[in-house]
Amino acid sequence: MVHGIHAGGFRKTPLQIVGFQGTLYDFSTVRFPAELSNCNKCHVNGSYALPISAKALGSTVDTRSTQATLTALRTVDVDPSNDVKITPTAAACSGCHDGAEVRTHMIRTGGASFGTSTGAGVVEKCASCHGPGKSEDVRKAHELGGSR
Ligand code: HEC
Ligand code: HEC
Ligand code: HEC
């Protein structure tokens, strides 16, 4: 969510969050006042590198509450066990990289899920290519110390 809020100038689709009593928040006009690809603007000690903790939870994108209109809730579902989640690594990357093609990459090549409730049986393989020292090391892709 924090990535998505700051990536208004990079995301292909607006980040919209339905909040208290159905209030719709649209973050698409927010611009990060620094180089978005420089992870060190927010992270320290390499905390953005992969792999992330095996105990990390997925990110909920749908609580299964239902809406009467775009801004008014009909039913509120407070049961976390049926939430629709994005697996943790894909959630972190797709906050900014939200395009359809890269989503397909995360699912087909990376083993991620964008629609799991338990995460059971889902194993993300991102670190085998995007981890430290690997060919697509995130630290390299984001060119730290470079011109971006
Ligand atoms: C606007 C601030 C901000 C920027 C810029 C940012 N992050 Fe994050 N990132 C966060 C926050 C906040 C969290 C959540 C930390 C937590 O849950 O403890 C997070 C979490 C993560 C996680 C999950 C870490 C974990 O162990 O669970 C990854 C991976 C990650 N970020 C990667 C990146 C990468 C790669 C970049 C640069 C392209 C980046 N972030 C840029 C704020 C930012
Ligand atoms: C805070 C936003 C943000 C997050 C989070 C983020 N990226 Fe990026 N990423 C960027 C930006 C901005 C660029 C530069 C794209 C450009 O210059 O067109 C980039 C570039 C890349 C590139 C180089 C390819 C390209 O299009 O230039 C790769 C590979 C990449 N990111 C992988 C990842 C991976 C893997 C993660 C998750 C661990 C991640 N990114 C998380 C913003 C982010
Ligand atoms: C088999 C190796 C491999 C695996 C596994 C893998 N990736 Fe990638 N990924 C790549 C390559 C290669 C690129 C293209 C890099 C470029 O364009 O510079 C890429 C590009 C990306 C990008 C940037 C795409 C763009 O241009 O906007 C993101 C984000 C990303 N991967 C996320 C993930 C995530 C999340 C996972 C796990 C769920 C994952 N990848 C698993 C090899 C891999």
Side-chain angles (χ1 to χ4, degrees):
M1 184 175 81
V2 172
H3 290 162
I5 287 172
H6 292 86
F10 183 70
R11 286 175 59 96
K12 301 211 184 305
T13 52
L15 180 75
Q16 293 180 320
I17 294 173
V18 181
F20 187 62
Q21 291 188 337
T23 309
L24 183 73
Y25 296 92
D26 185 314
F27 294 97
S28 55
T29 58
V30 176
R31 293 294 176 272
F32 193 50
E35 216 45 75
L36 185 68
S37 58
N38 184 352
C39 318
N40 283 336
K41 289 291 173 191
C42 298
H43 287 266
V44 292
N45 303 329
S47 62
Y48 58 86
L50 303 184
I52 61 178
S53 165
K55 284 186 257 167
L57 301 173
S59 286
T60 294
V61 287
D62 183 355
T63 61
R64 294 195 192 274
S65 296
T66 57
Q67 289 165 267
T69 66
L70 190 60
T71 54
L73 285 172
R74 192 164 48 194
T75 59
V76 178
D77 184 318
V78 293
D79 176 7
S81 70
N82 65 5
D83 286 3
V84 179
K85 302 187 186 88
I86 304 178
T87 43
T89 317
C93 308
S94 67
C96 296
H97 294 275
D98 69 327
E101 244 177 76
V102 63
R103 174 182 287 219
T104 302
H105 163 73
M106 293 181 200
I107 296 168
R108 296 221 184 119
T109 310
S113 172
F114 284 75
T116 179
S117 58
T118 60
V122 183
V123 179
E124 294 185 304
K125 294 175 282 198
C126 323
S128 63
C129 300
H130 296 290
K134 305 295 183 185
S135 59
E136 303 300 331
D137 189 339
V138 267
R139 298 176 306 179
K140 198 166 73 186
H142 295 94
E143 292 183 25
L144 301 181
S147 57
R148 288 177 188 173

